[in-house]
């Protein structure tokens, strides 16, 4: 069989460091592939006025599978200031290239697993009944709708007359906002469609079925956000009844869920939510299993284009350290999700076993696992560097 080609997109800041180490781990695992690098991120915004050049889109179109590090996004005005001078009069507006990728390829399904590693000093602990300390084992996968909702990008400040007038036809808009001058109104919409809502629910239930999770929890707010969350809840009820009678459907509100998170996280299995609530609840669960150094993700389209990335950002303050200090596990785990996706499950399993062994042994720990403040000198004080963590995992392989 011909070797597969993976599009690597290191992006900005620590993205490159974690991706480089991940590629070493992949190589050591026996996974065979060719890699082509796709340009993405701040550098290309500054130089070309486009953080997601067309050539990168073409690469992904061709090879289908991407490994992405992280990018830096900055507010509108700052982005404009950093644009190279000859591009400043071209009315360019910065928008996040990773959001751009999701929308361009309709990477509508996002999965974010959060699973406790035994021996991780960052595991959440709580006090139990007799005051004893308990360490709940979390094994949750969050399915987040990745392209619509509040992050769909349909928004205005000082909307046009036409838009404003349309909103004024809604009695609640008229009542609550109708007296505010148009220039002082900013609107971000939350649009859900039936098709994509169905797709994310279906993936969530299918995952629960395939991997034996006993419940799917819809984490929205249907009692208040009646049209969008409400539609999702109704569709989930129907799907459960018709297609998955053996899987329980739980319904929690996002705010209450964030509170229950620390009370009984071990009770949850698959969680499904719209874009923003999925983003929030997945960060919440990630906090229970070690935080951003451990939070991995996959996103894919129905057409089979898929991008795998750690949940964390580019952590610019650590980007210029001579020795990279950040934890590469989130990126390596994301690569394992890629291996699962392309049916290299046994290699993914092997890497996860190696990671588990390093964590349980406890000899090699990055600064976050050592509970140190992230500074350039953490490596001199006993924390493993990004490379040393990857080396330890490779040694276990
Ligand atoms: P961040 O995730 O880059 O960093 C937050 C903090 O988390 C860091 O200061 C560090 O203490 C810790 N951290 C992150 N990754 C870590 C790792 N692998 N190991 C150990 N500790 C780690 O988020 P922040 O500071 O809010 O954003 C920085 C930049 O990243 C911004 O420009 C933001 O827009 C961008 N960003 C990009 C994302 C992406 O590429 N998908 C996601 C989130 C933020
Ligand atoms: Mg997030």
């Amino acid at each position: 069989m011909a070797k597969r080609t993976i599009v690597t997109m290191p992006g900005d800041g620590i993205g490159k460091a974690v991706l480089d180490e991940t590629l070493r781990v992949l190589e050591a695992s026996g996974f065979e592939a060719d890699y082509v690098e796709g340009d993405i991120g701040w550098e290309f915004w500054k130089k070309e006025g486009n953080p997601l050049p067309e050539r990168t889109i073409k690469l992904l179109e061709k090879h289908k599978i991407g490994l992405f590090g992280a990018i830096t996004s900055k507010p509108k005005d700052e982005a404009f200031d950093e644009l190279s001078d000859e591009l400043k009069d071209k009315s360019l507006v910065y928008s996040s290239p990773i959001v751009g990728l999701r929308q361009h390829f309709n990477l509508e399904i996002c999965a974010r697993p959060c699973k406790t590693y035994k021996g991780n000093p960052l595991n959440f602990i709580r006090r139990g009944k007799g005051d004893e300390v308990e360490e709940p084992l979390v094994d949750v996968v969050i399915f987040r709708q990745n392209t619509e909702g509040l992050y769909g990008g349909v928004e205005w400040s000082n909307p046009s007359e036409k838009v404003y007038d349309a909103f004024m036809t809604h009695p609640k808009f008229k009542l609550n906002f109708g007296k505010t001058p148009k220039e002082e109104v900013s609107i971000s919409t939350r649009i859900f469609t039936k098709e994509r809502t169905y797709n994310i629910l279906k993936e969530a239930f299918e995952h629960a079925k395939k991997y034996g999770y006993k419940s799917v929890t819809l984490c929205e707010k249907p009692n208040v956000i009646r049209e969008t969350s409400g539609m999702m809840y109704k569709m989930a009820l129907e799907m459960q009844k018709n297609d998955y009678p053996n899987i329980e459907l739980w319904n929690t509100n996002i705010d209450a869920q964030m509170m229950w998170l620390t009370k009984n996280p071990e009770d949850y299995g698959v969680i499904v939510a719209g874009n923003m609530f999925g983003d929030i609840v997945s960060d919440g669960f990630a906090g229970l299993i070690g935080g951003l150094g451990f939070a991995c993700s996959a996103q894919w389209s129905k057409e089979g284009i898929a991008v795998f990335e750690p949940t964390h950002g580019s952590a610019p303050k650590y980007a210029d350290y001579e020795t990279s200090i950040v934890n590469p596990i989130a990126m390596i785990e994301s690569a394992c999700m890629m291996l699962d996706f392309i049916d290299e499950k046994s290699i993914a399993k092997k890497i996860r076993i190696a990671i588990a062994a390093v964590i349980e042994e406890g000899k090699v720990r990055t600064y976050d696992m050592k509970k140190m403040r992230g500074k350039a000198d953490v490596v001199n004080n006993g924390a493993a560097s990004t490379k040393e963590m990857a080396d330890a995992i490779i040694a276990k392989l």
Side-chain angles (χ1 to χ4, degrees):
M1 208 171 78
K3 252 202 266 178
R4 192 177 268 287
T5 300
I6 310 282
V7 182
T8 57
M9 293 169 280
D12 302 307
I14 62 167
K16 184 170 167 43
V18 293
L19 184 52
D20 281 351
E21 295 310 323
T22 299
L23 295 181
R24 285 205 307 125
V25 172
L26 282 173
E27 166 132 48
S29 74
F31 174 58
E32 284 185 27
D34 291 322
Y35 298 94
V36 284
E37 188 166 318
D39 297 336
I40 195 167
W42 201 248
E43 190 189 329
F44 303 98
W45 162 252
K46 290 200 296 190
K47 272 199 319 221
E48 302 174 22
N50 183 2
L52 178 58
E54 191 57 32
R55 57 187 181 278
T56 305
I57 291 181
K58 286 264 153 15
L59 275 181
L60 207 54
E61 220 163 65
K62 180 164 174 207
H63 301 296
K64 310 272 191 276
I65 303 291
L67 272 177
F68 172 78
I71 48 92
T72 296
S73 281
K74 297 186 188 178
K76 222 160 123 184
D77 297 344
E78 246 174 273
F80 181 78
D81 288 344
E82 291 194 30
L83 201 53
S84 83
D85 284 336
E86 66 274 17
L87 293 170
K88 282 214 162 88
D89 58 357
K90 297 207 185 302
S91 322
L92 298 166
V93 181
Y94 176 84
S95 67
S96 158
I98 185 66
V99 175
L101 265 186
R102 286 171 193 158
Q103 283 171 350
H104 181 89
F105 289 110
N106 192 24
L107 305 176
E108 60 183 304
I109 310 296
C110 172
R112 293 181 167 184
C114 294
K115 196 168 175 176
T116 306
Y117 271 116
K118 220 169 135 191
N120 184 351
L122 296 172
N123 286 344
F124 167 68
I125 52 173
R126 75 173 168 227
R127 212 168 280 287
K129 268 188 194 148
D131 258 9
E132 76 283 19
V133 172
E134 298 173 341
E135 190 172 323
L137 290 181
V138 179
D139 180 4
V140 159
V141 188
I142 293 101
F143 279 82
R144 161 192 177 190
Q145 206 299 325
N146 215 23
T147 47
E148 19 182 75
L150 257 176
Y151 298 174
V154 183
E155 40 186 14
W156 306 265
S157 283
N158 186 14
S160 71
E161 293 290 347
K162 239 179 161 166
V163 170
Y164 187 80
D165 289 348
F167 273 96
M168 280 297 258
T169 65
H170 195 291
K172 288 214 168 127
F173 184 89
K174 199 168 173 191
L175 181 72
N176 281 331
F177 311 105
K179 292 198 183 73
T180 307
K182 189 173 81 64
E183 306 74 52
E184 291 179 23
V185 174
S186 290
I187 301 171
S188 301
T189 62
R190 186 178 203 261
I191 302 172
F192 282 30
T193 62
K194 268 202 168 139
E195 184 186 345
R196 289 176 181 165
T197 303
Y198 178 90
N199 289 345
I200 193 72
L201 289 169
K202 193 78 193 163
E203 294 278 350
F205 273 109
E206 276 300 306
H207 191 86
K209 186 171 156 186
K210 191 163 164 197
Y211 293 97
Y213 289 95
K214 69 175 198 293
S215 66
V216 169
T217 303
L218 177 70
C219 183
E220 278 284 320
K221 189 131 182 157
N223 54 335
V224 177
I225 316 175
R226 291 167 188 276
E227 299 305 327
T228 46
S229 293
M231 175 180 85
M232 195 169 189
Y233 180 48
K234 225 164 110 181
M235 290 174 76
L237 279 174
E238 198 152 302
M239 190 177 284
Q240 189 272 343
K241 196 173 100 195
N242 295 336
D243 305 337
Y244 304 95
N246 298 323
I247 298 170
E248 289 174 34
L249 174 66
W250 299 352
N251 177 35
T252 62
N253 285 343
I254 177 69
D255 46 348
Q257 178 69 70
M258 295 312 285
M259 181 183 64
W260 289 330
L261 208 61
T262 48
K263 201 171 148 232
N264 60 338
E266 65 273 51
D267 291 350
Y268 298 96
V270 171
I271 293 195
V272 61
N275 204 339
M276 186 173 82
F277 294 163
D279 194 14
I280 293 172
V281 75
S282 60
D283 275 15
F285 272 100
L288 305 176
I289 57 119
L292 288 173
F294 292 85
C296 55
S297 80
Q299 47 204 333
W300 65 89
S301 70
K302 285 288 186 197
E303 291 72 38
I305 294 187
V307 175
F308 303 83
E309 59 159 327
T311 305
H312 63 73
S314 60
K317 62 183 174 189
Y318 305 148
D320 300 329
Y321 290 179
E322 209 167 303
T323 304
S324 173
I325 63 163
V326 293
N327 192 344
I329 290 177
M331 180 82 237
I332 298 170
E333 284 272 0
S334 303
C336 289
M337 295 186 82
M338 172 190 82
L339 293 170
D340 282 340
F341 191 85
I342 60 178
D343 237 353
E344 296 280 6
K345 292 196 175 63
S346 62
I347 301 182
K349 190 170 170 196
K350 199 162 89 178
I351 297 175
R352 289 190 179 110
I353 289 172
I355 296 172
V358 171
I359 295 174
E360 190 160 9
E361 197 172 77
K363 282 196 209 139
V364 178
R365 289 175 168 175
T366 43
Y367 83 95
D368 51 329
M369 301 172 77
K370 290 262 189 192
K371 305 182 189 205
M372 291 174 167
R373 277 186 60 163
K375 283 197 196 144
D377 64 359
V378 292
V379 177
N380 297 331
N381 295 323
S385 66
T386 309
K387 179 174 181 301
E388 285 165 340
M389 176 53 90
D391 284 340
I393 293 166
I394 289 169
K396 294 291 178 199
L397 284 169

